[in-house]
Amino acid sequence: MTKEQALQTNFDVDYVVVYRFAKTDKSAAVNKFEQLVEALASVGLQTEVRNGENDSVLIFTRVASDEHLFGEVYRSRVRDWIHGVRVAAPPKETREALEAEPLYEAERLRIIYQLITNPASEGGAGITPKEGEWESVESIFALHDHAYNKDWIKKWGSQYFLQAEDLDDIRNRLGEKIAFYFAFTQSYFTFLFFPAAFGAAAWFLLGHFSPIYGIVSSVWCTVFTEYWKHQEADLGIRWGVRGVSRIETNRKDFKHEKEITDPVTGEKVRIFSGSKRLQRQLLVLPFAIAASTMLGALIATCFCIEVFISEVYGGPLKSILVFLPTGILTIFMPILTGILTNFATQLTHYENYETHASYETALTQKIFVLNFITSYLPIFLTAFVYVPFGNLIVPHLDIFSLTVRPFAEDEDQLKAPQEGFTINPDRLRKQVIYFTVTAQVVNLGMELIVPYLKRRGLSKYKQYQSDRAAKNGGTPPYEDANDPPEDAAFLQRVRQEAELEVYDVTSDLREMVLQFGYLSLFSVVWPLTAVSFIINDWIELRADAIKICVEMQRPTPWRADTIGPWLDSLSFLTWLGSLTTAALTYMFSNDGLGPDGHPSNITGWALLLSVFFSEHLFFLFRWGIRIAISKLDSPGLQKEKRDRYLVRKQYFEENLSLLEKIPRMADAGGDITRESLEEDARQSTLRASTAESRFWSRQKGWKETVTVGKSLIEKSSNATSPELKKEL
Amino acid sequence: MTKEQALQTNFDVDYVVVYRFAKTDKSAAVNKFEQLVEALASVGLQTEVRNGENDSVLIFTRVASDEHLFGEVYRSRVRDWIHGVRVAAPPKETREALEAEPLYEAERLRIIYQLITNPASEGGAGITPKEGEWESVESIFALHDHAYNKDWIKKWGSQYFLQAEDLDDIRNRLGEKIAFYFAFTQSYFTFLFFPAAFGAAAWFLLGHFSPIYGIVSSVWCTVFTEYWKHQEADLGIRWGVRGVSRIETNRKDFKHEKEITDPVTGEKVRIFSGSKRLQRQLLVLPFAIAASTMLGALIATCFCIEVFISEVYGGPLKSILVFLPTGILTIFMPILTGILTNFATQLTHYENYETHASYETALTQKIFVLNFITSYLPIFLTAFVYVPFGNLIVPHLDIFSLTVRPFAEDEDQLKAPQEGFTINPDRLRKQVIYFTVTAQVVNLGMELIVPYLKRRGLSKYKQYQSDRAAKNGGTPPYEDANDPPEDAAFLQRVRQEAELEVYDVTSDLREMVLQFGYLSLFSVVWPLTAVSFIINDWIELRADAIKICVEMQRPTPWRADTIGPWLDSLSFLTWLGSLTTAALTYMFSNDGLGPDGHPSNITGWALLLSVFFSEHLFFLFRWGIRIAISKLDSPGLQKEKRDRYLVRKQYFEENLSLLEKIPRMADAGGDITRESLEEDARQSTLRASTAESRFWSRQKGWKETVTVGKSLIEKSSNATSPELKKEL
């Protein structure tokens, strides 16, 4: 079997379980392994074991027969229905249910994954990789569908826009969560065309800091954010996942204080006191402050040094020394953020959430704060500290002279000019351009190239190692030595995939949201921002596709009906944009020289007023947009409407047929004849006559009511009319 | 039958239909009447006709048998279920359904009302009072349950707080919509205790315009608003109506442009183009502007005159003349608002909404704007025009001298002092007190006494009229002349109820919301505001109860799961409060004398900053509160949880029993024996062996996987470990 063929088939393997036993001693490892395999078998998975790379074995699993899936499928569908994800309840006979709507690939994989990882109480095997007793289970991953991946990348490479079908494809293969990321990026990309075009025009015609561009861009940001919410709902329905975020999945490593039986359901529930959690959550404040100060300090220092060198320092090597602060940043920033991110994770873990959703939200918020500082603070410093207060600060920057003292020839080169210093309006633009072009490109590069090199290096190292091993006459470390030849290539490939990293969609989402931030916050400084982004994102979309196919293990398909907490970040940035845009346009009118051509003319109340005004304009406008968008119809909403209608119709028809039998009142009661009257009399004497019965028996049937009514009408209109006339 | 007994029984009457034929000529009236009665009968209503008051007949109706309700009940319940109001679908056999959960009184009445008014297509009789072909049907109303009413008023009169049961009672009798009004007022009343207590304390200790009180009151307003939302949801579930607002009921007098068949459902739907409606909706802007200017002008003028007289005019009769503007207001304001409200209704009607909900929302918003101006503008004028700019304006008020010229003795009395004029800081407080005490009391009086007098006058007039009639020897206009004696008293009473007005709950709601507005916007001026309100509202609650029982026809019970658009008004007022409170506290610190004891020291940026700051503090706090409240558990939510759990449980149990039959993998596959191996070989030769089949057949059953795995583990850990060691 050649390498080519190996890529064509997956041997019906559903999931590969990597079991690593390097740390544990042999006998223990063996026992654990036995438990593992038995657990897998107990939920109806067929198993095959093969050698893995150093000190690991690969357990190949596939569902023995669909029957074994039924339980899980049914559970998940009933849960969906209860939470309103699906309109009608699934038929009680699961086989029918499955025939009615067969599983799509992602759903199937998701359900099998749950079958493996869910606790036994929910009918799963309870195998949780890298957690608790299953420490030694390194990972559980499905195999890439290389044929599909190839087509996917080819297709995307050749088309400018992604169609709804492309997104459906992703959803069917990789699940809704990842599909939502691509959907978001795609619609963001499409929306970018307008600001790109308008921005270019503004750049030519209106110049920088034009209020018109500011307004337009804020409007655009608002429209986009609100429209995306609408689209999210629409896609949610299209993919039949609307409301899944309401279905809460418990975290495995949630530590409960005590276990009580729920008064409502009588189920055992694990409790962790909310007050305690609140206390822990409050730790986020000191954390945020500490993080801000640390990062802020680092950035501010470098900023000052840079200002000092570029605007005060007059000595030699200036052109080189200018890059000193950048150097410092590039070295220390990643380290610092690394530490802080790690700490944030720890903290979130310590906050001990029951559900995945709440955990992710909490973590995302922290991460967002960090990213916010690192991404935007430098520009904020320039815009709102350097420019207005430059004249006050710069003279005191001599303290940073020590950074360059060695290079200076005499003291004067280190002295700040005591007067006549003017701030450099170009600095802000330069910075924005750096962040919106250079940084983006670098970022993209890092994402694609670094992991590639890493993988290359690794394989090189292995090669070298095996050669040495061969030289030393030891058995080669390659585990595939004793593979059956026909599987060799396949196993080879699986081992490679086992080595790959796990794809985390949120990091990609974060990237996009932060990018959006530059647009909403600062694009008024440099209207071409959107142009740069549109190019960047076209590539980004493809790059991510490649990343998923090549750099990463096949992601476990999870469901989602939203991009989650990032949506809040999006709204937040849009709102903040309405403030910064106004402030920037006011402060930097006249091309960065402040109101009347001089920054010192910036007056507090005018600045505040413009900000205040623009913010409330924004609120008003957003409100309007929300209403407008809520009126929009969409395929998704129509689908929902249809489903509802059909269910209702069915119910009505079944029931109303029963009601036909009821006798219509219209038929009852005939004309008054002597007989009928006598009949009535007889009746009334028969039954014990109460006031009620007498009241209701005066007119028999509606026809009689009519006759009586007629006479009344005649009489009364004779009786009273003249009276009334007299009154007038 | 005495009057007492007449109040005890309703003769099983469900609804009384008042048919008036004064305008139409006799024969037409008779035909219409016949149609009417037949229509009623056709939906299973038994009818009795009696004389009504001048030129009207009363048609008493009751449901002939429950069967005739079933259709409507079932329809309504299925619709509920489809819209997620009820968790499980109603059993298909309606009789069971009704036995499972019998109708409560309000529900029964609602369904009968729908039976009468719904279009034939939905199984109703399509009788719409005062609309279209049923012009002559004056009203359709249920009879008061006087026994219950008496207990109700007695009970409430004697207890300080309303219990949940009291509200449930109302809900069962008068429906959720009215119950929600009482629930809201009640929880508002309860919440008032805190600001009342704190306000009193602040009044003694902190004086007026204390920032501390300002903050506390804003916080309180926010908490109340957010908490009410929570409680609303809770009550919604408690009363089983959560989500009914999503069920849209079409308006009878919606004019459709064209009728198309819905592509989705294939139903006929009546369409009115949204763009056209938008154009019409835009008319609200000129309307709002016009209304504001007219009302504003009126108020401003009176305001100026008042200022002129009280602070400029020095002539005689000053003490009396001061009331001149108030007089003008009390005369013209009601007229003007009357006209405008009328116009607003016309406009909303013209906007032509499909559903009742959207119509009500649109109308409410307009009404709110009007009320906002009339209620709050005077205070705004004093606070933000008179005080800061008083010195500039007052000198120019001479123009108003003509209003009092006749009384002045010499010109000097009409001249404004050119200098040395100081604004009167007490004016603002006086005004707030007027609006929060005097106005409230007057209001309450109007609500109770005026209608009472009206009713009295009417009956007196009738008495007088009949006497004259008797004198003139004509037949007495009393229609009950030919009533059967045993029904006389009852009919008498029904005729009185037929004369009563229809209760409109929104007007009462509006009152409460506007009252809340004073608290959130201006209470910092006079901290005792809440004290006055708490007394007022205790009475208000009882007064409304009496009003419903005595002044009004029994309201048709409608469902609701919210106080509707007023909720937005509430949030709006809370938000605006965060602005005004900050502004007022800043401007009027030093007891109305401005920052440093003089209003002229008010600086723009400081004012803006304080407002800006407080607003964002408010946003932040509201966000926090929302999160906190979303964490609250409540009986309602528990109920919902329980229902869901039970349904799910039932489904699982029914289904999972089926799954038990499936053979457990754990049993399959035994140890490897010569036989088994041969068996495998034979098998593999039998079936066409593919790469897949061979791959999966290498290990038969999980036990074998274990054995193979063991050997692999042993081998591999021997093979590679030394290698790795060498590396280190």
Side-chain angles (χ1 to χ4, degrees):
Chain A
M1 184 181 212
T2 71
K3 202 160 180 328
E4 267 325 293
Q5 292 163 310
L7 293 178
Q8 290 315 312
T9 173
N10 281 348
F11 281 141
D12 311 346
V13 174
D14 284 323
Y15 274 95
V16 177
V17 180
V18 180
Y19 177 75
R20 187 171 295 285
F21 48 85
K23 295 169 205 62
T24 51
D25 76 287
K26 221 177 298 169
S27 61
V30 170
N31 296 336
K32 203 78 198 140
F33 176 77
E34 184 161 2
Q35 284 178 37
L36 176 60
V37 177
E38 180 163 10
L40 288 171
S42 69
V43 292
L45 293 172
Q46 194 181 342
T47 52
E48 283 279 332
V49 67
R50 297 285 189 275
N51 244 329
E53 294 201 319
N54 33 32
D55 292 340
S56 70
V57 290
L58 307 174
I59 304 165
F60 296 82
T61 62
R62 74 168 174 185
V63 175
S65 75
D66 285 347
E67 273 76 8
H68 295 95
L69 272 184
F70 283 174
E72 195 55 39
V73 174
Y74 187 79
R75 254 194 213 83
S76 120
R77 287 188 175 174
V78 168
R79 208 175 284 116
D80 288 358
W81 165 63
I82 292 289
H83 288 85
V85 177
R86 41 175 61 224
V87 178
K92 295 229 168 65
E93 181 58 67
T94 323
R95 194 173 277 93
E96 288 169 10
L98 266 176
E99 276 148 14
E101 42 179 329
L103 296 168
Y104 54 92
E105 192 177 340
E107 191 179 11
R108 176 189 163 81
L109 282 174
R110 190 188 89 244
I111 283 174
I112 297 175
Y113 190 83
Q114 286 171 335
L115 200 61
I116 299 176
T117 52
N118 276 357
S121 63
E122 292 175 30
I127 297 165
T128 52
K130 285 189 177 151
E131 277 177 22
E133 55 165 339
W134 298 111
E135 196 83 51
S136 48
V137 174
E138 193 174 64
S139 65
I140 302 175
F141 66 97
L143 292 175
H144 272 300
D145 179 342
H146 284 280
Y148 164 76
N149 289 351
K150 215 164 150 197
D151 303 346
W152 180 18
I153 292 165
K154 199 150 49 347
K155 186 154 185 298
W156 282 28
S158 61
Q159 72 190 30
Y160 287 111
F161 292 98
L162 306 186
Q163 310 305 329
E165 296 67 38
D166 300 319
L167 297 174
D168 293 345
D169 245 21
I170 299 181
R171 174 252 186 179
N172 294 335
R173 296 295 184 138
L174 304 175
E176 288 79 9
K177 191 166 187 181
I178 292 175
F180 258 109
Y181 162 66
F182 281 102
F184 172 75
T185 313
Q186 169 57 21
S187 75
Y188 172 55
F189 171 74
T190 326
F191 259 79
L192 272 175
F193 275 88
F194 172 71
F198 188 85
W203 188 67
F204 284 120
L205 308 173
L206 306 170
H208 313 288
F209 305 108
S210 111
I212 300 169
Y213 175 82
I215 292 166
V216 172
S217 105
S218 307
V219 166
W220 175 83
C221 292
T222 321
V223 173
F224 169 68
T225 316
E226 294 307 321
Y227 182 77
W228 169 250
K229 287 179 192 163
H230 168 75
Q231 209 175 7
E232 219 175 44
D234 187 36
L235 283 169
I237 300 164
R238 181 192 179 95
W239 292 336
V241 289
R242 190 178 189 183
V244 285
S245 51
R246 283 200 300 270
I247 305 174
E248 296 182 332
T249 55
N250 292 337
R251 280 175 67 235
K252 296 284 171 316
D253 48 8
F254 159 68
K255 312 243 178 322
H256 60 286
E257 282 180 325
K258 55 185 182 299
E259 201 165 42
I260 62 159
T261 51
D262 188 334
V264 178
T265 61
E267 283 173 318
K268 280 235 169 302
V269 280
R270 294 143 78 229
I271 293 293
F272 182 75
S273 87
S275 60
K276 204 168 198 171
R277 176 173 295 126
L278 186 65
Q279 289 168 19
R280 296 183 176 187
Q281 282 169 324
L282 289 179
L283 288 176
V284 83
L285 291 176
F287 168 74
I289 295 163
S292 325
T293 38
M294 284 162 77
L295 289 168
L298 178 60
I299 292 168
T301 326
C302 293
F303 181 76
C304 291
I305 297 174
E306 204 251 318
V307 173
F308 173 76
I309 294 171
S310 54
E311 317 210 343
V312 177
Y313 176 63
L317 297 174
K318 180 169 180 163
S319 53
I320 301 154
L321 287 171
V322 167
F323 294 102
L324 180 66
T326 325
I328 302 175
L329 269 187
T330 31
I331 296 166
F332 290 105
M333 189 57 94
I335 302 171
L336 193 53
T337 40
I339 297 167
L340 287 172
T341 315
N342 188 340
F343 196 82
T345 324
Q346 299 279 329
L347 196 57
T348 320
H349 198 85
Y350 176 65
E351 284 165 7
N352 187 25
Y353 292 99
E354 275 103 338
T355 65
H356 279 292
S358 46
Y359 176 86
E360 271 206 352
T361 314
L363 184 57
T364 310
Q365 280 160 352
K366 296 186 186 64
I367 301 289
F368 179 71
V369 172
L370 295 181
N371 284 281
F372 186 88
I373 299 167
T374 50
S375 321
Y376 307 132
L377 187 60
I379 305 185
F380 273 110
L381 278 177
T382 320
F384 301 110
V385 179
Y386 167 75
V387 171
F389 309 112
N391 318 36
L392 312 173
I393 298 167
V394 174
H396 305 90
L397 290 183
D398 310 19
I399 36 167
F400 293 99
S401 58
L402 48 92
T403 51
V404 288
R405 172 149 286 125
F407 310 98
E409 288 129 350
D410 55 48
E411 282 304 306
D412 307 357
Q413 297 177 332
L414 301 176
K415 282 269 162 301
Q418 281 321 314
E419 71 284 329
F421 165 81
T422 56
I423 63 115
N424 167 3
D426 230 33
R427 168 181 295 283
L428 183 61
R429 191 174 317 131
K430 284 221 190 79
Q431 223 172 359
V432 170
I433 295 176
Y434 166 77
F435 276 105
T436 52
V437 183
T438 328
Q440 297 289 328
V441 174
V442 173
N443 218 322
L444 196 55
M446 299 290 272
E447 251 181 279
L448 274 183
I449 295 155
V450 171
Y452 172 76
L453 294 178
K454 227 163 96 195
R455 253 183 27 268
R456 263 313 175 76
L458 204 71
S459 59
K460 279 262 168 301
Y461 167 75
K462 282 221 203 67
Q463 191 56 46
Y464 155 81
Q465 188 186 38
S466 64
D467 298 350
R468 275 193 63 237
K471 264 201 240 73
N472 308 356
T475 57
Y478 274 129
E479 294 71 13
D480 46 10
N482 41 24
D483 287 341
E486 73 171 332
D487 306 348
F490 171 68
L491 291 173
Q492 177 66 32
R493 175 198 138 203
V494 174
R495 293 199 185 96
Q496 275 166 17
E497 290 188 18
E499 297 290 302
L500 296 175
E501 288 171 11
V502 176
Y503 176 62
D504 169 26
V505 70
T506 53
S507 66
D508 280 340
L509 254 172
R510 189 182 66 224
E511 216 177 302
M512 279 299 125
V513 172
L514 289 173
Q515 194 195 66
F516 174 83
Y518 288 112
L519 203 61
S520 68
L521 296 178
F522 305 116
S523 67
V524 68
V525 176
W526 188 58
L528 290 181
T529 309
V531 180
S532 143
F533 287 166
I534 211 168
I535 300 162
N536 182 287
D537 293 348
W538 191 90
I539 306 170
E540 178 78 35
L541 269 169
R542 279 74 187 168
D544 289 333
I546 295 171
K547 191 169 73 182
I548 293 176
C549 298
V550 184
E551 315 282 356
M552 305 283 179
Q553 285 179 355
R554 177 172 187 161
T556 313
W558 290 117
R559 293 197 297 181
D561 61 353
T562 163
I563 58 171
W566 292 111
L567 199 55
D568 307 330
S569 315
L570 217 59
S571 317
F572 173 76
L573 288 169
T574 319
W575 163 74
L576 196 62
S578 74
L579 302 185
T580 54
T581 310
L584 289 169
T585 8
Y586 169 72
M587 288 169 62
F588 290 84
S589 45
N590 303 315
D591 227 357
L593 289 171
D596 315 330
H598 203 288
S600 56
N601 297 10
I602 297 168
T603 53
W605 69 267
L607 178 60
L608 275 167
L609 194 63
S610 51
V611 170
F612 191 77
F613 183 69
S614 107
E615 182 184 18
H616 289 84
L617 216 64
F618 162 75
F619 286 141
L620 197 71
F621 180 74
R622 186 177 63 184
W623 172 75
I625 285 291
R626 282 195 177 148
I627 291 175
I629 284 182
S630 70
K631 297 238 181 305
L632 288 181
D633 198 8
S634 73
L637 294 173
Q638 285 190 347
K639 182 176 176 301
E640 197 181 31
K641 207 169 133 203
R642 189 187 302 106
D643 298 349
R644 288 213 166 139
Y645 173 75
L646 290 176
V647 177
R648 195 169 77 225
K649 193 144 161 293
Q650 173 209 350
Y651 265 79
F652 280 177
E653 279 162 359
E654 280 169 0
N655 173 277
L656 296 186
S657 53
L658 296 175
L659 297 173
E660 292 314 311
K661 303 188 202 71
I662 300 166
R664 283 236 159 284
M665 282 295 290
D667 322 332
D671 313 318
I672 322 167
T673 63
R674 171 173 297 280
E675 291 69 29
S676 69
L677 288 171
E678 283 163 353
E679 172 62 18
D680 296 351
R682 212 166 49 66
Q683 287 294 335
S684 55
T685 49
L686 285 180
R687 63 176 114 78
S689 96
T690 67
E692 279 76 10
S693 62
R694 282 195 299 281
F695 179 86
W696 283 104
S697 57
R698 293 227 165 66
Q699 292 152 27
K700 183 180 166 219
W702 68 272
K703 297 223 171 72
E704 198 169 323
T705 311
V706 172
T707 6
V708 177
K710 275 181 186 161
S711 65
L712 283 176
I713 293 174
E714 256 103 59
K715 259 211 258 78
S716 99
S717 41
N718 297 347
T720 57
S721 306
E723 286 296 326
L724 291 175
K725 288 197 196 64
K726 263 201 218 102
E727 297 307 310
L728 312 172
Chain B
M1 186 182 210
T2 72
K3 203 160 180 327
E4 265 326 294
Q5 291 162 311
L7 294 178
Q8 290 316 312
T9 172
N10 280 348
F11 280 142
D12 308 348
V13 175
D14 285 322
Y15 275 95
V16 177
V17 181
V18 181
Y19 177 76
R20 187 171 295 285
F21 48 84
K23 294 165 206 65
T24 52
D25 76 286
K26 223 178 295 169
S27 62
V30 169
N31 294 337
K32 202 80 195 138
F33 177 77
E34 183 160 6
Q35 284 178 39
L36 176 59
V37 177
E38 179 165 12
L40 289 171
S42 71
V43 292
L45 292 172
Q46 194 181 341
T47 52
E48 282 278 334
V49 65
R50 297 286 189 277
N51 246 330
E53 294 202 316
N54 34 31
D55 292 338
S56 70
V57 290
L58 308 174
I59 304 166
F60 296 82
T61 61
R62 74 168 173 186
V63 174
S65 76
D66 284 349
E67 273 75 9
H68 296 94
L69 273 183
F70 284 172
E72 197 51 41
V73 173
Y74 188 78
R75 257 196 211 80
S76 123
R77 286 190 176 174
V78 168
R79 207 176 284 116
D80 288 358
W81 166 63
I82 293 289
H83 288 85
V85 177
R86 43 175 59 225
V87 179
K92 294 230 167 63
E93 179 57 67
T94 325
R95 195 172 274 92
E96 287 169 12
L98 267 175
E99 275 149 14
E101 41 177 332
L103 298 168
Y104 55 91
E105 192 177 340
E107 192 179 9
R108 177 189 161 84
L109 282 173
R110 191 189 86 243
I111 283 175
I112 296 175
Y113 190 82
Q114 285 171 337
L115 200 62
I116 299 176
T117 53
N118 275 358
S121 63
E122 291 173 30
I127 298 165
T128 52
K130 286 190 177 145
E131 274 178 25
E133 54 165 338
W134 298 112
E135 197 79 52
S136 47
V137 174
E138 193 174 67
S139 64
I140 302 175
F141 66 96
L143 291 175
H144 272 298
D145 178 341
H146 285 277
Y148 164 78
N149 289 352
K150 215 164 151 199
D151 302 346
W152 180 20
I153 292 164
K154 201 153 44 346
K155 187 157 186 297
W156 281 29
S158 61
Q159 73 190 29
Y160 286 112
F161 292 97
L162 307 185
Q163 309 307 328
E165 296 67 39
D166 300 321
L167 297 173
D168 293 346
D169 245 19
I170 299 181
R171 172 253 185 180
N172 295 334
R173 296 296 184 136
L174 304 175
E176 288 79 7
K177 191 166 186 179
I178 291 174
F180 257 109
Y181 162 65
F182 281 103
F184 172 75
T185 312
Q186 170 58 20
S187 75
Y188 171 57
F189 172 73
T190 326
F191 259 78
L192 272 175
F193 275 89
F194 173 70
F198 187 85
W203 188 67
F204 284 122
L205 307 174
L206 306 170
H208 314 288
F209 305 107
S210 110
I212 300 170
Y213 175 82
I215 293 166
V216 173
S217 104
S218 308
V219 166
W220 176 84
C221 291
T222 321
V223 173
F224 169 68
T225 315
E226 295 307 322
Y227 181 77
W228 169 251
K229 288 180 192 162
H230 167 75
Q231 210 177 7
E232 218 175 45
D234 187 36
L235 283 169
I237 301 166
R238 179 191 178 98
W239 293 337
V241 289
R242 189 181 190 180
V244 284
S245 52
R246 284 200 300 270
I247 305 175
E248 298 183 328
T249 56
N250 292 337
R251 280 176 65 235
K252 295 287 173 318
D253 47 8
F254 160 68
K255 314 241 177 324
H256 60 287
E257 283 180 326
K258 56 187 180 300
E259 199 164 48
I260 62 159
T261 50
D262 187 334
V264 179
T265 62
E267 282 172 319
K268 281 234 169 301
V269 279
R270 294 144 76 232
I271 292 294
F272 183 76
S273 86
S275 60
K276 206 167 193 170
R277 176 172 297 125
L278 186 64
Q279 288 168 22
R280 296 182 175 188
Q281 281 170 325
L282 290 179
L283 289 175
V284 84
L285 291 177
F287 168 73
I289 294 163
S292 322
T293 37
M294 285 161 75
L295 289 169
L298 179 59
I299 292 168
T301 327
C302 294
F303 181 77
C304 291
I305 297 174
E306 204 250 320
V307 173
F308 172 77
I309 294 171
S310 56
E311 314 206 349
V312 176
Y313 177 62
L317 298 173
K318 179 168 181 164
S319 53
I320 301 154
L321 288 170
V322 168
F323 294 102
L324 181 65
T326 326
I328 300 175
L329 271 186
T330 29
I331 295 165
F332 290 105
M333 190 58 95
I335 301 169
L336 193 52
T337 41
I339 297 166
L340 288 171
T341 315
N342 188 340
F343 197 82
T345 323
Q346 299 278 330
L347 197 57
T348 320
H349 199 85
Y350 178 63
E351 285 165 6
N352 187 26
Y353 293 98
E354 277 102 340
T355 65
H356 278 293
S358 45
Y359 176 85
E360 271 206 353
T361 314
L363 184 56
T364 309
Q365 281 159 352
K366 296 187 186 64
I367 301 289
F368 178 70
V369 173
L370 295 181
N371 284 281
F372 185 88
I373 299 166
T374 49
S375 324
Y376 307 132
L377 187 62
I379 305 184
F380 273 110
L381 278 177
T382 321
F384 300 110
V385 178
Y386 168 74
V387 171
F389 309 112
N391 317 36
L392 312 172
I393 298 168
V394 174
H396 304 90
L397 289 182
D398 310 16
I399 38 168
F400 294 99
S401 55
L402 49 93
T403 52
V404 288
R405 168 150 288 126
F407 310 98
E409 290 130 346
D410 55 48
E411 280 304 306
D412 307 357
Q413 296 178 332
L414 303 174
K415 282 268 162 303
Q418 279 323 311
E419 71 284 325
F421 164 80
T422 55
I423 62 119
N424 166 2
D426 230 32
R427 168 179 294 281
L428 182 61
R429 190 173 319 132
K430 282 221 190 77
Q431 223 172 359
V432 171
I433 294 176
Y434 166 77
F435 276 104
T436 52
V437 183
T438 327
Q440 297 291 327
V441 174
V442 172
N443 218 321
L444 194 55
M446 299 290 271
E447 251 181 280
L448 274 184
I449 296 155
V450 170
Y452 171 76
L453 294 177
K454 228 163 93 194
R455 259 192 11 276
R456 263 314 176 76
L458 205 70
S459 59
K460 278 259 168 303
Y461 166 73
K462 283 222 204 65
Q463 192 54 47
Y464 156 80
Q465 188 186 39
S466 64
D467 298 349
R468 279 192 60 238
K471 267 201 240 74
N472 306 354
T475 55
Y478 275 130
E479 294 70 15
D480 44 12
N482 41 25
D483 286 343
E486 74 172 331
D487 306 347
F490 172 69
L491 292 172
Q492 177 66 34
R493 173 195 140 205
V494 174
R495 292 197 185 97
Q496 274 166 17
E497 289 189 21
E499 297 288 302
L500 296 176
E501 286 171 13
V502 176
Y503 176 63
D504 168 25
V505 69
T506 52
S507 64
D508 280 340
L509 253 173
R510 188 181 67 224
E511 214 177 304
M512 279 299 127
V513 172
L514 288 174
Q515 194 195 66
F516 174 83
Y518 288 112
L519 203 61
S520 69
L521 296 177
F522 305 116
S523 65
V524 68
V525 176
W526 188 57
L528 289 181
T529 309
V531 180
S532 141
F533 287 166
I534 211 168
I535 300 162
N536 183 287
D537 293 349
W538 191 90
I539 305 169
E540 178 77 36
L541 268 170
R542 278 74 185 168
D544 289 333
I546 295 169
K547 191 169 71 180
I548 294 176
C549 297
V550 185
E551 315 282 356
M552 304 284 179
Q553 285 179 354
R554 178 172 187 161
T556 314
W558 291 115
R559 294 196 298 178
D561 63 351
T562 164
I563 58 171
W566 292 111
L567 199 55
D568 307 330
S569 315
L570 217 60
S571 316
F572 173 76
L573 287 169
T574 318
W575 162 76
L576 197 61
S578 75
L579 302 185
T580 54
T581 309
L584 289 169
T585 9
Y586 168 72
M587 288 168 60
F588 291 83
S589 44
N590 303 315
D591 227 357
L593 290 172
D596 315 330
H598 203 287
S600 55
N601 297 11
I602 297 168
T603 54
W605 68 268
L607 179 58
L608 275 167
L609 194 64
S610 52
V611 170
F612 191 77
F613 183 70
S614 106
E615 182 183 19
H616 290 83
L617 215 63
F618 161 75
F619 286 140
L620 196 71
F621 180 74
R622 186 177 62 183
W623 173 75
I625 284 292
R626 281 192 178 153
I627 291 176
I629 284 182
S630 70
K631 297 240 182 301
L632 288 180
D633 197 8
S634 73
L637 295 173
Q638 285 191 347
K639 181 176 177 302
E640 198 179 30
K641 205 170 135 207
R642 187 187 302 106
D643 298 347
R644 287 209 166 143
Y645 173 76
L646 290 176
V647 177
R648 195 168 79 228
K649 192 143 159 295
Q650 174 208 351
Y651 265 79
F652 280 175
E653 277 162 0
E654 280 169 359
N655 172 276
L656 298 185
S657 53
L658 297 174
L659 297 173
E660 291 314 312
K661 302 186 200 73
I662 299 164
R664 283 234 161 284
M665 282 296 290
D667 322 334
D671 313 320
I672 322 164
T673 63
R674 173 173 300 280
E675 292 68 31
S676 69
L677 288 172
E678 282 162 354
E679 173 61 18
D680 296 350
R682 214 165 47 68
Q683 287 295 335
S684 55
T685 50
L686 286 181
R687 66 176 108 81
S689 96
T690 66
E692 279 75 11
S693 63
R694 281 195 300 282
F695 178 86
W696 283 104
S697 59
R698 292 228 162 66
Q699 292 154 25
K700 183 183 167 216
W702 66 274
K703 296 223 173 70
E704 197 169 331
T705 311
V706 172
T707 5
V708 178
K710 275 182 187 160
S711 66
L712 282 177
I713 293 174
E714 256 106 50
K715 260 210 254 80
S716 105
S717 42
N718 297 346
T720 56
S721 308
E723 286 297 323
L724 291 176
K725 288 199 196 65
K726 262 200 218 101
E727 296 306 309
L728 313 172

